[in-house]
Amino acid sequence: MAHDQFGGLTGWDLEGFHGGGDTEVWRRLGSHVVTVPDDERGEVTGVRFAVWAPNAKSVQVIGDFNWWTGDPMRLVPGSGVWATFIEGLGEETLYKFRIETADGTWIDKVDPMARFSEQAPTNASIVYESRYAWSDDEWMARRREAQAHREAMSIYELHLGGWRRNKSYLDLAEELVSYIKWQGYTHVELMPVAEHPFEPSWGYQVTGYFSPTSRFGKPDDLRHLIDKLHQAGIGVIMDWVPGHFPKDEWALGRFDGTALYEHADPRQGEHMDWGTYIFNYGRNEVKSFLVSNALYWVKEFHIDGLRVDAVASMLYLDYSRNEGEWVPNEFGGRENLEAIDFLRYVNRHLYEREPGVLMIAEESTSFPGVTKPVHQGGLGFGFKWNMGWMNDTLRYLQLDPIYRQYEHNLLTFAMVYAYSENFVLPISHDEVVHGKGSMINKVPQDDWRKFATLRAYYSFMWSFPGKQLVFMGCEFGQRPEFNESVSLEWWVSELWGHGGLQRLFRDLNMIYRSSPPLYRLDSDPAGFSWINADDNAHNVLSWIRHDGEGNHVACLTNFSPEPLRDYEIGLPLAGTWEEILNTDAPIYDGAGEFGNLGEVTAVEQPWGHFPARANVTVPPLGSVWLRRSDAQ
């Protein structure tokens, strides 16, 4: 052979992969169009294929270029990686790996490092090289300087296929960007976009970790969508699933006939609840694979943050297991020490490599220090979903108002631990599926009360310490549960109640983003003061948000169907307080009968721990926000 049979790949190139320290392994494994020296012709171009299969007897690459019959691959010296270079091949080539296991069985596998794949039900890997020219330099420069904890963050979570059916990445680059900009969210969060064969898994059962799903177009089309969001000033968070992967025989599971990416022992390597395999976080090559995957999305697709799915299932060896179904760690405990080390590794590495990136944990337990820096003994995430706040407030929301006075603590308890972590308040897809009911259908009584209560609830949420996340369709009160196979019911936003709620969300976002007291000190107790935490008799909560620079927003929410007139409150400053939000306003389909004529006057008379007091009207099942600054 006149040229290098491995396409320039050497055992030296793979040392980092085998040592757990190669965080850009997609550059070495998988398929790449490369040009290599040739003794006779100077150089030749083709595709280099490389795959990790250390326990295979032999490996072939099969594809449309050889009628799926197989070209032999060879072990790169000093590694468990098989590779070959095939001259003349280029982009759009379809291929798989045919692996002979130790017992002589042949299995066909898709490429774990494929950067593009066929759309289900077919699954071949596709040779792909990006040629995308980004236009988001301004956004990326600002991201590197960002201080997320001190900035506004309201996140719109969506499933690309269910937002509007049959829309491509390119369609969404127009329609989704326009809608998000109009609504005023700072970020979108995409449910997993990595390739997955089973649509009802919503992307949480990944078979192509480096391959954007081809349901909506090519990888560069997704880059275009992200670019357009960035140009519109909108950040992009992506759900990332390093906790488990499906058992499809053609994907990662038992890749070379042995447990390669997963633990061999089902007590460590299988999720019984989900019918999936668990990654072996202690194996160096698996660490290289997963950390590389996280960096790949951030670096190659300009993703601004990863929301890490099912962190609780990673942290505990006995997660959803009975006695005898799990293996204790080396100290006899239930913590998965290898997974903890891996999470610290990936968080530390991404924050070092890509300053300003967001790492967000979906973590439902009381595991300490999820958002504490790694060097201080924490896991190193930037934010954690506040599942306790979500569960408590939704329980309260579903109560008939007459019973809410007895469960007042459901709304106040979150302040006990509000500063133990950096929190995102999530009303996610998980809350509107599987019989839980849509948000509008969680609320008791008639439509007037349902919509008024939702307006009050979301205003309560947007003014509470923590960043906000809401799932698509909630912003206009969609009645059916989330169903990935149909579009949202956009037509209802033209109807009474639905349209008002949608307009409220727009104003919540606009007022929130223009009011630093509502976000600047989310992670600092100095940013919050109770006015009255104990008025359970009226189902009312009231507090002040501060920005540390002399600006204040007073937030009052009445979860009773009775209006409050001349409701006395304490305030930190005397003078005129502007009414910047009233959820009873006609524009939100409220009655328009219970307001403060645009302002409230506070007089210098002590009230509780405040130097001033005022009388306020708070609408039934409604919220009022008042704003004042020291400079006035």
Side-chain angles (χ1 to χ4, degrees), residues 168-178 221 224-225 228-229:
S168 68
Y169 293 127
L170 298 180
D171 296 330
L172 292 163
E174 302 301 324
E175 297 178 27
L176 177 64
V177 173
S178 175
D221 297 343
H224 176 71
L225 167 59
K228 285 294 187 183
L229 284 161

Side-chain angles (χ1 to χ4, degrees), residues 40-98:
E40 300 166 1
R41 291 166 289 172
E43 59 182 26
V44 294
T45 298
V47 173
R48 181 186 72 216
F49 299 95
V51 63
W52 179 50
N55 303 303
K57 283 176 69 174
S58 64
V59 179
Q60 301 173 353
V61 59
I62 61 174
D64 56 358
F65 55 92
N66 61 16
W67 299 278
W68 304 95
T69 57
D71 277 59
M73 302 177 73
R74 295 173 178 81
L75 271 173
V76 177
S79 82
V81 171
W82 301 75
T84 192
F85 171 80
I86 301 179
E87 181 185 344
L89 298 186
E91 288 191 64
E92 307 293 331
T93 298
L94 302 181
Y95 70 98
K96 295 183 184 181
F97 296 118
R98 180 163 288 164

Side-chain angles (χ1 to χ4, degrees), residues 120-230:
T122 54
N123 56 28
S125 303
I126 304 174
V127 177
Y128 189 86
E129 302 290 348
S130 174
R131 290 178 172 77
Y132 191 76
W134 291 89
S135 301
D136 63 349
D137 290 354
E138 184 180 336
W139 173 271
M140 296 298 283
R142 189 165 65 245
R143 183 175 92 179
R144 285 189 283 273
E145 305 300 322
Q147 295 180 296
H149 304 108
R150 293 176 55 81
E151 296 175 4
M153 189 186 302
S154 66
I155 305 165
Y156 186 77
E157 184 195 27
L158 72 148
H159 179 270
L160 286 177
W163 189 72
R164 290 189 191 274
R165 290 296 288 174
N166 303 317
K167 297 292 182 179
S168 68
Y169 293 127
L170 298 180
D171 296 330
L172 292 163
E174 302 301 324
E175 297 178 27
L176 177 64
V177 173
S178 175
Y179 182 72
I180 298 300
K181 192 170 183 180
W182 173 71
Q183 276 274 284
Y185 297 95
T186 66
H187 291 74
V188 295
E189 179 174 321
L190 307 178
M191 291 167 71
V193 296
E195 195 59 80
H196 53 282
F198 185 51
E199 194 169 8
S201 80
W202 308 328
Y204 292 99
Q205 299 214 0
V206 180
T207 53
Y209 273 81
F210 291 79
S211 181
T213 179
S214 54
R215 287 174 175 85
F216 314 117
K218 296 183 177 181
D220 277 358
D221 297 343
L222 175 59
R223 288 180 171 93
H224 176 71
L225 167 59
I226 295 166
D227 199 357
K228 285 294 187 183
L229 284 161
H230 284 172

Side-chain angles (χ1 to χ4, degrees), residues 202-313:
W202 308 328
Y204 292 99
Q205 299 214 0
V206 180
T207 53
Y209 273 81
F210 291 79
S211 181
T213 179
S214 54
R215 287 174 175 85
F216 314 117
K218 296 183 177 181
D220 277 358
D221 297 343
L222 175 59
R223 288 180 171 93
H224 176 71
L225 167 59
I226 295 166
D227 199 357
K228 285 294 187 183
L229 284 161
H230 284 172
Q231 291 174 47
I234 300 161
V236 184
I237 300 165
M238 186 188 89
D239 281 10
W240 185 52
V241 192
H244 64 119
F245 60 92
K247 293 182 176 180
D248 299 80
E249 61 183 13
W250 44 268
L252 283 182
R254 303 297 192 262
F255 189 80
D256 63 359
T258 67
L260 203 56
Y261 289 87
E262 69 276 26
H263 275 283
D265 187 333
R267 295 174 299 169
Q268 297 170 283
E270 292 190 36
H271 264 306
M272 303 305 179
D273 288 357
W274 302 329
T276 53
Y277 288 129
I278 300 171
F279 282 105
N280 182 352
Y281 305 105
R283 188 161 195 168
N284 285 338
E285 292 88 352
V286 174
K287 285 192 282 190
S288 288
F289 175 83
L290 288 173
V291 179
S292 293
N293 187 240
L295 185 64
Y296 173 77
W297 290 104
V298 172
K299 197 173 185 67
E300 296 293 314
F301 285 84
H302 291 200
I303 291 289
D304 301 297
L306 300 175
R307 176 273 205 178
V308 184
D309 181 59
V311 170
S313 75

